[in-house]
Amino acid sequence: MKWVVGNWKMHTTPSEAKRLALRLRQELQSELERSPRVRVVVCPPFTNLEAVRCVLRGSPIGWGAQNCHEELEGAYTGEVSARMLAELECQLVVVGHSERRRYAHENDLQIAHKLQRVLEFGMRPVLCIGETLTERQAGQTEHVLERQLVGVLGRAPASVWEKLLVAYEPVWAIGTGIAARPEQIAEAHATVRRCLMQLGAPEQVPILYGGSVGARNARDILAVPAVDGVLVGTASLNEGEFCALTRAAAAERWC
Ligand code: PEP
């Protein structure tokens, strides 16, 4: 199974999101129906989830959210809870994206609580982890990945493994146009897999790669055996590019 998850970030209005979702459905529906081993999910901004749900319901393309708050409900102005997302039938919720770690100062404890909420409402968390350029250059990649995984999953219930997806997203590759090389991805994914196993995870927990994935490099990245899919930002907003990389995922007989 290969995952293709689109993170639309803070792009699209409700009407634009509806148009993009409609075009993706028109372009990909029949192909995805013939390729049950590829799962495509798009994550629009919260305000556009209802519009996207209306368009994608009953199609092989799923939808999810980019974040949620760690509390169940309460006086948290401007926030969105996991319960709200579950009622919108989100299948996935991204937690711990590096942009949230950076701009909203989210830490591993907070991310662990968010992940717990996502599970409580029956959705699948996509836990993002990854090193900065400074950390990579200092030879700390392995240490950073382990620290983030243990920091979030060390507190998670045993039921987490059925639902969890991990996205390895080196911060230096996000939005820069410079993807990690296949051998760097393979090495980092091996670290993630080893750490997951030490935490008690079964081998089936999918590990996605994210960071400047597009139509031009999707095939090479998806061909890395340790890569169970891709998390795509910029290229997921371009219908042609997103369809092309989805086709790359569907084209091969991945095991
Ligand atoms: C992301 O936002 O998770 C991402 C991978 O972005 P981009 O594809 O633009 O690097």
Side-chain angles (χ1 to χ4, degrees):
M1 164 81 79
K2 294 282 182 186
W3 290 82
V4 178
V5 179
N7 171 13
W8 292 2
K9 309 198 187 199
M10 197 173 73
H11 294 289
T12 69
T13 65
S15 60
E16 289 164 353
K18 192 173 169 179
R19 276 198 296 277
L20 179 54
L22 194 58
R23 287 198 299 264
L24 294 179
R25 183 174 182 160
Q26 285 163 347
E27 280 293 316
L28 295 173
Q29 170 138 2
S30 54
E31 210 152 326
L32 289 174
E33 280 167 354
R34 290 194 304 272
S35 311
R37 295 181 71 83
V38 178
R39 282 287 314 270
V40 177
V41 180
V42 293
C43 300
F46 293 135
T47 47
N48 306 349
L49 277 166
E50 178 61 11
V52 167
R53 173 170 84 139
C54 288
V55 173
L56 296 181
R57 223 180 190 166
S59 85
I61 306 175
W63 59 95
Q66 300 171 20
N67 179 37
C68 73
H69 195 262
E70 60 271 29
E71 295 298 337
L72 193 55
E73 60 182 356
Y76 300 100
T77 304
E79 297 291 349
V80 170
S81 74
R83 191 162 78 99
M84 297 169 188
L85 299 175
E87 195 170 309
L88 287 168
E89 300 176 296
C90 286
Q91 287 118 51
L92 301 181
V93 182
V94 176
V95 294
H97 193 282
S98 66
E99 286 156 11
R100 296 215 50 90
R101 291 180 193 256
R102 179 168 175 204
Y103 301 123
H105 309 293
E106 287 185 6
N107 59 40
D108 289 334
L109 180 61
Q110 200 178 359
I111 295 163
H113 287 145
K114 287 172 187 256
L115 186 134
Q116 174 66 42
R117 291 296 178 209
V118 173
L119 294 173
E120 263 171 50
F121 287 93
M123 298 174 289
R124 300 192 68 160
V126 183
L127 170 62
C128 296
I129 56 169
E131 81 286 0
T132 62
L133 186 57
T134 314
E135 288 164 339
R136 173 163 280 269
Q137 287 169 341
Q140 293 170 349
T141 301
E142 195 172 329
H143 169 72
V144 170
L145 298 179
E146 283 172 4
R147 191 193 65 216
Q148 292 176 336
L149 285 169
V150 172
V152 178
L153 298 171
R155 304 172 173 94
S159 60
V160 70
W161 308 126
E162 284 162 42
K163 299 273 186 186
L164 179 71
L165 293 95
V166 175
Y168 166 60
E169 297 211 301
V171 179
W172 49 271
I174 297 179
T176 60
I178 304 164
R181 294 192 305 275
E183 63 274 18
Q184 292 174 312
I185 298 173
E187 195 180 2
H189 280 225
T191 300
V192 174
R193 180 64 70 200
R194 183 171 30 76
C195 188
L196 286 175
M197 304 275 273
Q198 280 162 1
L199 286 162
E203 250 187 85
Q204 306 85 280
V205 173
I207 307 174
L208 280 50
Y209 167 79
S212 296
V213 178
R216 75 194 183 289
N217 59 11
R219 187 172 292 273
D220 289 345
I221 290 171
L222 286 162
V224 177
V227 171
D228 299 307
V230 285
L231 177 51
V232 187
T234 314
S236 68
L237 291 159
N238 179 312
E239 172 209 337
E241 181 122 10
F242 192 69
C243 289
L245 69 88
T246 299
R247 287 191 182 109
E252 303 285 334
R253 291 182 154 266
W254 314 105
C255 47

